[in-house]
Amino acid sequence: MSTFAASHLSPSYPDRAAWGTAPKLRAWQQEAFDLYFRREPRDFLTVATPGAGKTTYALRIASELIANGVIRSITIVTPTEHLKRQWADAAARVGIGIDPEFKNSQGTTSRDYTGVAVTYAQVAMHPALHRARTEARKTLVIFDEIHHAGDAKSWGDGVREAFEPATRRLQLTGTPFRSDDNPIPFVAYEEDGEGLKRSVADYSYGYGPALDDGVVRPVIFLAYSGEMKWRTRAGDEIAATLGTPLTKDQLSQAWRAALDPKGDWIRQVMQAADRRLTEVRRGVPDAGGLVIATDHETARAYARHLRNITGEGATVVLSDDPGASKKIKEFAASPDRWLVAVRMVSEGVDIPRLCVGVYATSTSTPLFFAQAVGRFVRARKRGETASVFLPSVPTLMGLANEMEVERDHVLNKRPPEDGLDDSLLEQANRQKDNPDVLGDELPFETMETSATFDRVLFDGGEFGTGAEVGSAEEEDFLGLPGLLEPDQVATLLRKRQSDQQAARRKQAEEQPRETLAPHEQIAELRRELNGLVGAWNHRTGQPHGVIHSELRRSCGGPPIAQATAEQIQERIATIRRWATQRR
C-alpha cells in the first residue's frame, strides 16, 4: 500500500478517531479499502453509518488512485454548499487541493487544484460542462450521500450525463434508503424474488457494528409527552395528551402545539436538555447541544428561550445566511453550549462535539430522522454518549427503536404509508422561512402546553414509567454519566427503572388500603394496563386485541373483563418487562 498523502490522516477527520485506532485506518475502512483495490471497480457503493469516517476512507482511496496514476483529477459532489467547503478542508489536510468555490460560469479552475467540489443542483444546471471536464482528464468522482441524486429526475439525469465518462466513481452514503421510485444513478439494483428491485452495496457498515466497535456513540432517546390545548380557527377549544392514542389530525396538531415557542412544552424540554448537557460536560467538557428547528422564526424564538435558560447566547444558523458555514465552523471549534439551526443542518454537518440534541421539527421521514441523529453519533473517544430529546410521537418512537435497522433503496414498491415518504427530503432540507404547514400560518392558536417526562429509549428497549418535569425520577435519567459504554448504559437504565418501580410500590403500600374499593382498584389497574397496551401498539403496530391476547397467553387467566387485580398486575409487569427488552 502507498504511504502517499492520506496515510497520515486520522481514521475519522477531524479529531474523530475511535479509541485505539489512530493513526491507522479503522478496521471497516481498511476492509473496504482492501476490497476496493482487489476488485479495481469502476463503480463502488459504500454504505457506512453517519460518523463512521467515510471522508477519511474516500480520501485514502483517492490518494492511492492518484499515486498509482489511475486518475489525475477529482470531482466531489455534495448535497449542500457547506459540505463542499468541509470536503475541501479535509482534502487539504492530506495534500489534495480541491476548489470548493468552483462555479459553472468559470468552466475551468486553477492548476493549483487537483479537482473541484460541486453540488448535485450545480451539476443538474449544466451537465454538459461537467461532462466535458470529466472527459478532459482521467477523473474520480466521489458522490457524497449519493441518494440525493434521486431527489429529482433532473438531478439524476444530470448526474448520469455529467459523469458517465468518469474513469472511477465512488458512491458514499450513510442512509441509502428512499421511498420513491427514482433510481439512483450508478447504483446497482437486483431482483429480490418479490418483484422488487433493491439497491446493492459493495460494502456496508451499519450502526450496530459501529457501536460494537466503539466507532459511534450509543444514543439515548428521552421522550416527553404532555398536555396540549389549542383553539381552532372555528373557535373550538381542543385538548389532547401527547403520548396517548390520538387521531391523525389530533396528533399533528398536538405535536405542532408542543413545538410552538409560545407554549411551555418546548421551553421545559430545552431546560431538561440543558440539564442533561451540564451532566454530560462533567465527562466531556466541550460537549455541545443542537436544537433542530422547523423554520427561521421558531429557530430565533428557541434561541431566546436558551438565553433565558442558560444566561448565554446560542448560535443560530439559518439557511439564507451567507455566513452559515463560518458560524458552523466557529461553533465546532468553540466551547459554546448551544447551536440552533433550521433543518438544513441535518445531514453531513461535521461538529464532533455535539452530544445532546432536541428534535424540534415535525419532519418524520426515516431518512431525515437518521440524518438528524447522525449529527450526534460521531465518537471521538471511547465511552462518549449521545442524548436526543424528542416528542412522544409514535412515528419518532418507532424510528428511535429501530436505530440499527439497515435499509436498502427499493424500486417498484407499493405506495408508502403516511409519514414515511422520503421524497420530501430535499424540500425538508432547503431554506425554510415559514411555519411548516399548509398556508401562511398555523391552522390553530396554541393556548397552553406543558411537558411530562415519558420514557427513555435505548437499544430497542424502553425504560422509565413517566414523571413530572423537575422531579427526582426525571433527574435519575437526566443525570446519567456522559461517559458510558453501551452495556453500562443499559445496566444503568435498568437500575433506574427498577428503582422507580420499587419506589412506587412502596408508596402504594404505604397508602391506606381502604382508599380504593375493590371495583375502583380493578378499574385503576385496567386503565394502567390499557395505557401500556396503547404504548406497545405505538411501538409495534400490533392491534390492541392482539396484545391483550399475547399477555393472556403469557400470563394465563381469563379475559381482562373477568381478570382479578392480581392477574391484571401480572400482565402489567409482563408488558413492562417486554418494553425493557430489545426486540
Side-chain angles (χ1 to χ4, degrees), residues 189-198 412:
Y189 293 85
E190 290 184 354
E191 294 278 354
D192 66 356
E194 299 179 3
L196 304 177
K197 290 185 177 182
R198 294 184 178 273
N412 306 324

Side-chain angles (χ1 to χ4, degrees), residues 4-6 59 62-63 66 74 87-88 90-98 112 114-115:
F4 177 81
L59 290 174
S63 298
I66 292 172
I74 301 171
W87 271 93
R93 292 289 187 94
V94 298
I96 299 176
I98 296 294
D112 290 337
T114 303

Side-chain angles (χ1 to χ4, degrees), residues 89-112:
D89 289 343
R93 292 289 187 94
V94 298
I96 299 176
I98 296 294
D99 181 6
E101 305 298 337
F102 177 80
K103 302 291 189 297
N104 288 348
S105 57
Q106 294 175 222
T108 59
T109 189
S110 167
R111 292 183 181 179
D112 290 337

Side-chain angles (χ1 to χ4, degrees), residues 488-529:
Q488 293 175 320
V489 174
T491 299
L492 268 179
L493 287 173
R494 283 192 291 268
K495 177 69 165 54
R496 297 287 196 270
Q497 168 110 338
S498 177
D499 290 346
Q500 273 194 357
Q501 292 173 342
R504 293 192 175 189
R505 283 195 300 269
K506 181 179 180 181
Q507 183 181 22
E509 290 170 358
E510 292 175 350
Q511 290 178 345
R513 293 186 181 274
E514 62 272 20
T515 53
L516 289 178
H519 69 279
E520 292 175 323
Q521 182 186 15
I522 288 179
E524 184 69 26
L525 289 171
R526 286 176 182 170
R527 280 194 292 272
E528 182 178 358
L529 178 59

Side-chain angles (χ1 to χ4, degrees), residues 8 40 56 77 169 175 226 229 258 276 278 321 364 424 556 576:
H8 71 274
E40 293 287 345
T56 294
V77 191
R169 292 181 290 256
T175 48
K229 187 175 181 180
R276 177 69 187 141
T278 296
D321 182 355
S364 58
L424 298 178
R576 288 195 185 281

Side-chain angles (χ1 to χ4, degrees), residues 256-263 266 270 291-306 316-318 340-343 360-362 432-437 442:
R256 286 172 176 164
L259 300 181
D260 190 335
K262 295 192 293 293
I266 188 65
M270 286 195 292
V291 179
I292 300 177
T294 298
D295 58 75
H296 292 188
E297 182 181 345
T298 55
R300 295 186 181 97
Y302 292 165
R304 290 192 291 271
H305 279 321
L306 286 170
V316 179
V317 176
L318 306 176
V340 183
V342 179
R343 297 176 301 180
T361 172
S362 56
K432 297 292 295 182
D433 296 302
N434 300 311
D436 187 23
V437 295
L442 290 171

